[in-house]
Amino acid sequence: MAGHFKKKTKTKEEIPTASLPDIIFMLLIFFMVTTVLRETTVQVRTLLPKAEALTKIDQKRLVTYVYIGPKKLEGNRIGETSVQIDDALVEDLGNVRTIMYSKLVEQPRLIVSLKVDETSEMGVVLDIHGELREAGTLRINYSSKREIPS
Amino acid sequence: MPVLKKKPRVEGEIPTSSMADIAFLLLIFFLVTTTIDVDTGIGMVLPPKLEDDVIPPPIRERNVLKILVNEAGLVLVEDQPSAVQLIRQEVMTHVLNEGVDPRYAESAGKALISIKTSRETPYSAYVNVLDEVWMAYFEMWDSEARALGYLDYKTYVSAITESGAENIIRDKIKAAISIAEPDGT
């Protein structure tokens, strides 16, 4: 017996798009807040070494970067090994301890990230170690890239 | 007198349909410019500055595994020529010796790794050696964590940070790595 089927009431099939701008704005604000624009220009070349035993530094606020590597010159040439902290090259390594000490006073949980060019010699790195020990900034991190295991 | 026709009312709204597009453009701009580069590296803690009147506690010779890296990046382990790839195993036998072999450490808690370089040693050679030593510790911690029934050391650490328990693996096998000053300075 064929029954008479009532046609279903037509429902709107559209997804409401009224809240789309709000969603997009939320994403936008998230990215605006998390974006850190690079504030320093690095004047030395730092090709980082590769390593496996890596740890991540999540708290970027705690980190101070020390760049060690050959100075970048015009025309893709490189000069002698120099040390840069923040925006300026450090001419006299003896100043490192005062710079680092004042940073430590501001941020007692300071981590010093050493971005050292892989062609640098250990001499300058050991000198920086000595200065950091004088300053009392003992937590360091040899910045290195992830090694792809062969 | 002509009848003044009523003007049709103009809608006074700003069209908001393009709002999503504008927001999308901004979003794409920030997506492209954002670099979420998490800084990775090998973490170390330098020894504190020694006061002049404090004599460092004596360390027994057998507890120290001496690794020397020279100017050419060649490696000496306990004065024997070695290779970077062999360091990991050497460190593990040294630390996990538990007093069996008199050449290696007395116990895991007393074991110490000393890395010595010269001033001319390339930084990359030093990082390679340090990396191997750390990897040896990571492997030992992993196997300790597996013995306690965890998947690896990382899951163990997240489990104890949740419960607030003490890290007994770290207490048992301390990563004691010292960076020695080169001779003649």
Side-chain angles (χ1 to χ4, degrees):
Chain A
M1 219 166 91
H4 185 74
F5 287 99
K6 241 190 192 170
K7 224 184 188 179
K8 269 187 194 162
T9 48
K10 244 192 182 169
T11 46
K12 262 195 171 174
E13 287 162 11
E14 272 170 43
I15 303 162
T17 53
S19 56
L20 194 60
D22 301 339
I23 297 163
I24 303 303
F25 265 117
M26 287 254 276
L27 279 170
L28 178 64
I29 286 160
F30 169 75
F31 276 98
M32 280 177 73
V33 168
T34 54
T35 302
V36 183
L37 296 172
R38 183 176 285 267
E39 67 269 47
T40 51
T41 46
V42 184
Q43 298 173 51
V44 296
R45 188 192 74 177
T46 49
L47 287 175
L48 298 176
K50 291 188 173 69
E52 275 182 86
L54 297 177
T55 47
K56 280 181 196 162
I57 310 177
D58 296 323
Q59 296 134 305
K60 261 196 166 168
R61 287 177 296 116
L62 306 181
V63 182
T64 291
Y65 295 100
V66 175
Y67 303 92
I68 304 169
K71 208 173 175 174
K72 284 181 197 159
L73 300 175
E74 290 144 53
N76 257 339
R77 287 175 302 130
I78 47 169
E80 55 187 292
T81 301
S82 316
V83 177
Q84 182 187 347
I85 299 172
D86 290 340
D87 245 344
L89 292 177
V90 182
E91 302 293 339
D92 181 12
L93 284 187
N95 294 331
V96 172
R97 69 182 71 171
T98 43
I99 298 169
M100 280 303 160
Y101 185 73
S102 55
K103 282 185 183 292
L104 185 71
V105 172
E106 277 176 35
Q107 175 54 264
R109 292 169 62 214
L110 191 79
I111 304 169
V112 181
S113 178
L114 296 171
K115 288 190 178 278
V116 187
D117 190 87
E118 54 183 357
T119 57
S120 304
E121 290 179 351
M122 277 308 285
V124 64
V125 180
L126 291 168
D127 289 343
I128 294 289
H129 281 176
E131 290 295 316
L132 293 177
R133 283 178 69 183
E134 289 285 338
T137 48
L138 301 176
R139 282 178 79 187
I140 61 166
N141 192 295
Y142 299 109
S143 192
S144 20
K145 282 188 279 188
R146 182 162 297 280
E147 189 170 36
I148 297 130
S150 50
Chain B
M1 220 163 104
V3 183
L4 279 172
K5 244 190 191 166
K6 222 182 185 178
K7 267 188 193 163
R9 246 174 108 172
V10 183
E11 291 264 329
E13 266 175 46
I14 302 162
T16 53
S17 59
S18 59
M19 190 78 114
D21 302 339
I22 297 163
F24 256 123
L25 273 177
L26 279 167
L27 176 64
I28 286 161
F29 169 74
F30 277 98
L31 267 171
V32 168
T33 52
T34 303
T35 46
I36 309 179
D37 56 330
V38 185
D39 198 34
T40 55
I42 304 170
M44 288 284 283
V45 177
L46 294 173
K49 197 178 83 170
L50 280 180
E51 302 296 330
D52 290 333
D53 50 343
V54 178
I55 303 144
I59 301 159
R60 283 183 69 178
E61 183 70 18
R62 63 177 288 190
N63 289 329
V64 185
L65 185 79
K66 283 181 288 180
I67 302 172
L68 199 107
V69 193
N70 79 349
E71 297 85 341
L74 299 172
V75 182
L76 277 185
V77 177
E78 292 285 331
D79 301 322
Q80 296 295 315
S82 186
V84 177
Q85 300 91 297
L86 301 175
I87 289 173
R88 196 182 297 194
Q89 193 52 50
E90 193 72 9
V91 169
M92 283 162 76
T93 30
H94 175 73
V95 175
L96 301 174
N97 182 44
E98 297 298 340
V100 178
D101 192 323
R103 288 173 299 157
Y104 293 116
E106 286 172 299
S107 69
K110 286 180 180 170
L112 187 81
I113 314 293
S114 164
I115 303 174
K116 195 178 203 171
T117 62
S118 76
R119 290 191 67 85
E120 286 78 34
T121 302
Y123 178 68
S124 55
Y126 165 71
V127 166
N128 282 342
V129 170
L130 189 65
D131 190 30
E132 285 299 314
V133 174
W134 272 110
M135 281 312 286
Y137 276 109
F138 281 11
E139 279 187 20
M140 287 187 279
W141 290 335
D142 269 348
S143 60
E144 284 291 322
R146 275 195 290 273
L148 290 171
Y150 293 92
L151 189 66
D152 54 14
Y153 181 64
K154 222 171 143 189
T155 44
Y156 170 74
V157 168
S158 49
I160 56 159
T161 36
E162 241 171 61
S163 64
E166 267 183 55
N167 193 332
I168 52 165
I169 296 178
R170 252 333 239 277
D171 282 345
K172 193 179 166 201
I173 304 173
K174 289 195 192 85
I177 303 170
S178 106
I179 306 154
E181 292 286 323
D183 294 323
T185 48

